[in-house]
């Protein structure tokens, strides 16, 4: 009868177990293989962290309010929505209609560059990323919004015209999707975001278990 | 040995097969091989290519008003993957194909001149991936900075740069950092 050793399924033989050596070697080999393979899966997962990114693939005018929760009087646009978006991913799914993202720690960000027909030295441009939460991933239950991070710049006549925002998100399993909103309050200054100039991305960092 | 495990091919004798010193030697060799290959995976996962390149500790760089200027780096705080070569100071060369997390910062280091806005861009192979600008600036104040971040999908050998642009009346001196880490080989 063998003696258990350690916590990875290994054992050693007693003096009268000589006849069981082949069985012991097979058992030891399988235990070593199982423990190492489990560790390698975790390492492979860490080496190839899931992410997704969505980019607009045609021009977007920013003068129509999307219907999402934005400051009253603002005109804006939301990414992604039905329309000209191309999504790339490595195992992370942008749940636009159902489901939730795995619980854990994420890094998210967005970047937008625009042109403006009539720049004026007034009003703010705002880029923000917010999360849509669905209880148990159920799209029919009321969706809640969490504004996660935001960046702003003043509209100026100097032509500098980009915003970038990044931040961490800790999800308890109810986060279904991240969304970026870009908006301004000067309805006399139509903005246009050319193709390829608005990106929204999300990267999974880890389970981030908190006790 | 006729038997072997499913994933890492560690061999073992079957019941009834003679067990000799060679049997144990082969077993130990197979276990050593499995451990070595696992450590290689661990090394790759826990020590990804990563670098921090700067223009900060030596001299600042001049940027003229209205001119998009590529930041020329002077030093690397760490560089696992040989991202930066001082012979080509503006370029960050990506060592492996995959997805990288990039964060950059440029900031103004002098007080002279009128500054009304600052913009920084991250470029891959000459095309802008991400950019950020700030027009809420106190003109004569040093320390005005702009940060930018993105995930970048690239093939081995492609190069990245960051640029600065400011709106104002005279030249400014800027310093900057470029941080990059491989997050996925996909």
């Amino acid at each position: 009868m063998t003696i258990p050793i350690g916590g990875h399924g290994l054992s050693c033989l007693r003096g009268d177990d000589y006849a069981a050596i082949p069985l012991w070697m097979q058992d030891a080999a399988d235990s070593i293989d199982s423990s190492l393979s489990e560790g390698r899966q975790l390492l492979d997962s860490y080496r190839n962290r899931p992410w997704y990114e969505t980019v607009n693939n045609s021009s977007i005018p920013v003068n129509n309010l999307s219907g999402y929760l934005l400051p009253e009087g603002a005109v804006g646009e939301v990414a992604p929505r039905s329309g000209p978006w191309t999504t790339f991913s490595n195992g992370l799914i942008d749940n636009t209609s159902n489901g939730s993202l795995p619980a854990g720690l994420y890094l998210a960000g967005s970047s937008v560059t625009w042109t403006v027909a009539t720049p004026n030295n007034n009003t703010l441009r705002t880029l923000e990323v917010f999360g849509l939460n669905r209880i148990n991933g159920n799209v029919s239950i009321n969706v809640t919004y969490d504004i996660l991070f935001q960046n702003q710049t003043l509209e100026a006549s100097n032509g500098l015209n980009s915003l970038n925002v990044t931040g961490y998100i800790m999800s308890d399993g109810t986060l279904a999707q991240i969304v970026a909103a870009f908006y301004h309050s000067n309805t006399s200054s139509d903005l246009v975001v050319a193709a390829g100039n608005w990106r929204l991305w999300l990267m999974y960092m880890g389970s981030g278990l908190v006790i | 040995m006729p038997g072997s495990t499913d994933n890492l091919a560690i061999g073992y004798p079957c019941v009834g097969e003679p067990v000799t010193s060679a049997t144990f030697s082969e077993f130990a060799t197979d276990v050593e091989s499995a451990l070595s290959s696992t450590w290689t995976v661990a090394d790759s996962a826990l020590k990804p290519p990563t670098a921090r390149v700067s223009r900060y500790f030596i001299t600042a760089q001049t940027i003229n008003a209205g001119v998009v200027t590529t930041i020329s780096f002077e030093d690397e705080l760490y560089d696992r993957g040989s991202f930066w070569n001082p012979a080509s100071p503006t370029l960050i060369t990506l060592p492996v194909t995959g997805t990288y997390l990039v964060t950059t910062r440029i900031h103004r280091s002098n007080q002279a001149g009128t500054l009304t806005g600052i913009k920084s861009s991250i470029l891959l192979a000459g095309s802008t991936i991400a950019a950020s600008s700030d027009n809420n600036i106190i003109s004569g104040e040093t320390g005005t900075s702009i940060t930018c971040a993105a995930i970048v999908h690239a093939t081995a050998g492609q190069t990245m740069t960051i640029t600065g642009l400011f709106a104002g009346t005279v030249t400014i001196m800027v310093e900057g950092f470029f941080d990059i880490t491989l997050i996925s080989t996909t």
Side-chain angles (χ1 to χ4, degrees), chain A residues 180-192:
Chain A
F182 174 52
Y183 55 92
H184 64 97
S185 300
N186 187 348
T187 55
S188 64
S189 294
D190 292 338
L191 307 188
V192 174

Side-chain angles (χ1 to χ4, degrees), chain A residues 113-146:
Chain A
T113 297
W114 65 90
T115 57
V116 55
T118 311
N120 297 306
N121 289 329
N122 56 35
T123 75
L124 292 174
R125 276 84 180 91
T126 300
L127 175 66
E128 63 189 26
V129 171
F130 58 95
L132 303 183
N133 300 311
R134 299 194 182 105
I135 305 303
N136 295 326
N138 191 330
V139 69
S140 63
I141 295 177
N142 288 336
V143 176
T144 60
Y145 306 84
D146 292 322

Side-chain angles (χ1 to χ4, degrees), chain A residues 59-131:
Chain A
S59 178
I60 299 176
V62 185
N63 50 22
N64 294 306
L65 194 60
S66 70
Y68 280 95
L69 202 65
L70 295 175
E72 186 176 346
V75 293
E77 189 61 49
V78 179
R81 55 184 302 191
S82 60
W85 296 93
T86 301
T87 298
F88 312 87
S89 79
N90 174 34
L92 206 58
I93 299 173
D94 175 19
N95 295 305
T96 57
S97 60
N98 210 341
S100 295
L101 293 165
L105 182 65
Y106 294 84
L107 184 66
S110 184
S111 183
V112 65
T113 297
W114 65 90
T115 57
V116 55
T118 311
N120 297 306
N121 289 329
N122 56 35
T123 75
L124 292 174
R125 276 84 180 91
T126 300
L127 175 66
E128 63 189 26
V129 171
F130 58 95

Side-chain angles (χ1 to χ4, degrees), chain A residues 137-208:
Chain A
N138 191 330
V139 69
S140 63
I141 295 177
N142 288 336
V143 176
T144 60
Y145 306 84
D146 292 322
I147 294 179
L148 298 168
F149 7 94
Q150 187 186 78
N151 199 4
Q152 294 180 317
T153 189
L154 186 70
E155 176 186 280
S157 55
N158 59 27
L160 302 190
N161 53 355
S162 299
L163 280 170
N164 183 269
V165 64
T166 312
Y168 286 99
I169 308 167
M170 175 61 79
S171 170
D172 60 0
T174 60
L175 179 68
Q177 185 185 12
I178 60 163
V179 179
F182 174 52
Y183 55 92
H184 64 97
S185 300
N186 187 348
T187 55
S188 64
S189 294
D190 292 338
L191 307 188
V192 174
V193 179
N197 278 1
W198 193 357
R199 298 169 179 263
L200 171 65
W201 54 269
L202 182 68
M203 184 180 97
Y204 182 66
M205 302 291 288
S207 64

Side-chain angles (χ1 to χ4, degrees), chain A residues 18-19 21-34 36-37 39-40 42-53 88-90 107 109-114 124 151-166 168 196-197 199 201-203 205, chain B residues 1 4-17 19 23-24 27 31 33-35 37-42 44-46 48 99 101 116-121 128-136 146-153 165-167 181-186:
Chain A
Y18 182 80
I21 288 178
L23 285 175
W24 173 84
M25 292 184 75
Q26 179 178 356
D27 188 57
D30 285 335
S31 295
I32 293 169
D33 187 294
S34 176
L36 288 178
S37 295
R40 287 166 72 120
L42 292 173
L43 290 167
D44 275 336
S45 175
Y46 185 74
R47 188 168 55 172
N48 292 286
R49 275 168 277 182
W51 52 265
Y52 76 67
E53 183 173 41
F88 312 87
S89 79
N90 174 34
L107 184 66
S110 184
S111 183
V112 65
T113 297
W114 65 90
L124 292 174
N151 199 4
Q152 294 180 317
T153 189
L154 186 70
E155 176 186 280
S157 55
N158 59 27
L160 302 190
N161 53 355
S162 299
L163 280 170
N164 183 269
V165 64
T166 312
Y168 286 99
N197 278 1
R199 298 169 179 263
W201 54 269
L202 182 68
M203 184 180 97
M205 302 291 288
Chain B
M1 292 188 277
S4 68
T5 58
D6 293 337
N7 301 309
L8 300 173
I10 301 171
Y12 52 82
C14 291
V15 174
E17 181 184 347
V19 177
T23 308
F24 285 97
F27 182 81
V31 171
S33 176
L35 285 170
S37 65
T38 300
W39 275 112
T40 299
V41 173
S44 171
L46 300 177
T99 299
L101 175 64
T116 61
I118 186 169
K119 177 177 177 179
S120 178
S121 302
T128 299
I129 299 296
S132 193
S133 58
D134 185 2
N135 297 316
N136 307 345
I146 191 82
T147 59
C148 198
I151 59 171
V152 177
H153 318 293
L165 169 67
F166 86 97
T181 299
L182 179 72
I183 62 169
S184 169
T185 54
T186 302

